[in-house]
Amino acid sequence: MRSCYIHIPFCEKICSYCDFCKMFYNEKLVDKYLDKLDEEIGSIYKGDELHTLYIGGGTPSSLNLNQLERLFSITDKLNKNSNIEFTIECNFSNTTKEKLELFKKHGVNRISFGLETTSSKQLLFLERDEDQERTREIINEARNIGFNNINVDLMYALPNETITDLKNDLEFINSLNVEHVSCYSLIIEEHTKLSINDTKNIDSELDYDMYLEICKFMKNSGFNHYEISNYSKEGFESKHNLVYWNNEEYYGFGLGASSYLDNKRCTNTRSISNYLKGSYLLEEEILEKDDLVYYEIMLNLRKKDGIDLGKLYSLYNVRIKYEELVKLGLLECNENKLYIPEDKWYISNDIIIRLLEGVRYE
Ligand code: SF4
């Protein structure tokens, strides 16, 4: 079984921090895009049974009802396992009862909403449109229609944000009773409006304090911190995202989408004109053994339960010298599973770089 990601790059507004593959919504362009998406999937998809399907963006919920019908006429052709996790990303501002009903009708069973913050000052700064009343209304609507697996994204470390602001956001999200929360620190990427305006990241100590505050709050609220940036209620871990972190294969369709199939990582073009001409692929990386080992270690160590050393050895004949890092308290090992303790996830990139130096091939 495999997984599949489909990218819908359209948004009604462009947020000041956004580095994703996106563009302004344009009705005619969306229609053409969906036709090409159908062709791309038809030319690559082999009919494999899918256990996760994820429609991300961009903002898939920016499409109108006819366009969503067209999108689902494409996903309806995919061979979905009866227990499939089928997620769609939405913004509260353009999600409606009719759209939620359509999602339900076509088998969507998980919704991931971008909220980011509840502070009106920060929403202005991020150039986003959320509001608390509408957020509650849409979540209630989704519940009434039968969605019982909902994620909300939170963004923290925003300029001038205080720990009190962050606690307000966390309290609000917790009051929504959602099953999953993803928390990302604001990173000012090149070529975004924030970078052009020379916005600076907050002080790294405050960023770290905010991270610890989130860990504490979420734990006290009954969430399992199962991946660096992700928290879930028992049994509601994102199956699709676990495919990435477990280094498993997936299809990727649409503008800028990536796939990992048959030891190849492919990335699609971000040029809409090339995509509409049918030139989907931008680059292809054929993975050698050391690349495969690198991804296996780097991705698995993002998770609470870490990497299975027995599996690593049986797949690649590789052992790792990790004992020194365990002595330093940067790693823990239990029943052949090597993992980074929660209080060190904040420096996981440094730990992974040091661990990779200890890789030994046999
Ligand atoms: S809604 Fe999402 S994809 Fe669209 S501009 Fe904002 S952050 Fe980017």
Side-chain angles (χ1 to χ4, degrees):
M1 276 198 286
R2 278 184 170 155
S3 289
C4 178
Y5 174 83
I6 295 176
H7 194 73
I8 301 296
F10 304 100
C11 297
E12 285 174 337
K13 275 187 81 174
I14 302 295
C15 308
S16 58
Y17 58 93
C18 183
D19 183 41
F20 301 132
C21 175
K22 83 296 175 183
M23 66 194 66
F24 277 112
Y25 175 89
N26 171 296
E27 192 173 349
K28 288 204 175 101
L29 195 58
V30 174
D31 291 341
K32 284 188 199 156
Y33 181 79
L34 293 172
D35 288 344
K36 276 294 161 189
L37 181 67
D38 198 3
E39 279 181 33
E40 187 202 358
I41 295 176
S43 67
I44 296 170
Y45 174 62
K46 300 278 187 288
D48 337 31
E49 193 173 331
L50 301 177
H51 70 114
T52 74
L53 173 58
Y54 193 107
I55 303 178
T59 316
S61 58
S62 67
L63 271 52
N64 65 35
L65 282 169
N66 288 337
Q67 291 166 336
L68 287 168
E69 285 277 14
R70 172 78 179 106
L71 175 61
F72 289 124
S73 76
I74 300 168
T75 60
D76 284 351
K77 289 188 272 188
L78 302 171
N79 178 11
K80 300 192 213 69
N81 178 271
S82 54
N83 285 322
I84 192 167
E85 178 191 87
F86 185 178
T87 306
I88 190 161
E89 284 182 357
C90 294
N91 276 4
F92 289 106
S93 57
N94 50 28
T95 301
T96 60
K97 181 169 181 263
E98 291 71 25
K99 289 182 187 177
L100 289 167
E101 282 169 346
L102 194 66
F103 300 161
K104 188 79 186 160
K105 183 174 145 200
H106 289 277
V108 173
N109 51 24
R110 183 172 185 271
I111 303 188
S112 179
F113 286 107
L115 174 70
E116 318 310 348
T117 175
T118 60
S119 148
S120 42
K121 178 185 70 184
Q122 299 292 7
L123 284 166
L124 266 179
F125 166 76
L126 297 178
E127 300 187 36
R128 292 186 62 94
D129 275 344
E130 321 307 334
D131 88 62
Q132 294 192 21
E133 207 175 310
R134 181 157 180 87
T135 299
R136 280 197 198 287
E137 206 177 283
I138 295 298
I139 297 262
N140 287 339
E141 206 65 82
R143 294 294 191 208
N144 292 338
I145 290 167
F147 289 101
N148 66 358
N149 191 354
I150 296 179
N151 170 65
V152 167
D153 287 343
L154 166 76
M155 187 171 278
Y156 67 98
L158 308 173
N160 302 317
E161 186 179 14
T162 63
I163 294 275
T164 309
D165 296 331
L166 174 65
K167 280 184 182 167
N168 289 339
D169 282 353
L170 289 167
E171 292 286 358
F172 178 74
I173 287 179
N174 196 35
S175 75
L176 299 171
N177 285 320
V178 290
E179 288 72 26
H180 193 283
V181 182
S182 300
C183 301
Y184 300 102
S185 159
L186 173 69
I187 295 172
I188 298 169
E189 305 281 3
E190 265 185 76
H191 311 302
T192 60
K193 202 163 168 187
L194 291 187
S195 155
I196 292 162
N197 293 342
D198 208 20
T199 310
K200 300 284 179 242
N201 283 308
I202 65 164
D203 173 75
S204 59
E205 275 183 32
L206 179 57
D207 188 312
Y208 181 54
D209 288 346
M210 287 187 169
Y211 173 77
L212 294 181
E213 180 61 39
I214 295 171
C215 294
K216 188 175 79 186
F217 183 95
M218 297 307 282
K219 199 174 193 171
N220 290 341
S221 306
F223 285 86
N224 174 25
H225 191 182
Y226 72 102
E227 192 270 346
I228 293 177
S229 309
N230 285 278
Y231 302 81
S232 79
K233 293 279 170 67
E234 190 67 40
F236 287 95
E237 296 83 6
S238 162
K239 289 183 191 161
H240 185 81
N241 287 338
L242 279 169
V243 165
Y244 301 143
W245 304 318
N246 286 332
N247 196 25
E248 291 163 1
E249 295 189 327
Y250 53 91
Y251 285 101
F253 299 116
L255 200 71
S258 301
S259 65
Y260 173 39
L261 296 166
D262 305 325
N263 291 344
K264 271 193 293 187
R265 288 191 180 267
C266 296
T267 309
N268 272 359
T269 178
R270 279 188 168 215
S271 155
I272 187 74
S273 53
N274 285 349
Y275 190 84
L276 293 180
K277 280 185 223 145
S279 301
Y280 309 119
L281 190 65
L282 173 67
E283 56 190 28
E284 180 178 282
E285 181 193 9
I286 298 174
L287 302 176
E288 304 294 339
K289 186 170 169 178
D290 51 351
D291 301 315
L292 295 167
V293 169
Y294 165 79
Y295 282 115
E296 187 75 19
I297 294 173
M298 192 263 294
L299 293 167
N300 274 282
L301 282 174
R302 291 185 61 93
K303 299 175 300 169
K304 182 182 184 175
D305 64 357
I307 184 161
D308 182 331
L309 295 175
K311 183 177 158 216
L312 184 73
Y313 185 75
S314 67
L315 283 175
Y316 306 111
N317 266 15
V318 156
R319 292 191 199 278
I320 319 179
K321 282 182 73 63
Y322 58 82
E323 293 76 5
E324 208 44 48
L325 294 173
V326 171
K327 272 190 211 150
L328 292 169
L330 298 174
L331 286 170
E332 289 179 11
C333 191
N334 193 4
E335 294 182 355
N336 230 14
K337 287 269 186 122
L338 188 65
Y339 54 91
I340 300 175
E342 187 188 21
D343 66 336
K344 301 292 184 306
W345 275 358
Y346 192 78
I347 51 163
S348 60
N349 287 345
D350 297 341
I351 298 172
I352 291 167
I353 289 167
R354 290 175 70 175
L355 183 64
L356 287 168
E357 288 165 7
V359 168
R360 301 282 180 270
Y361 293 90
E362 292 191 349

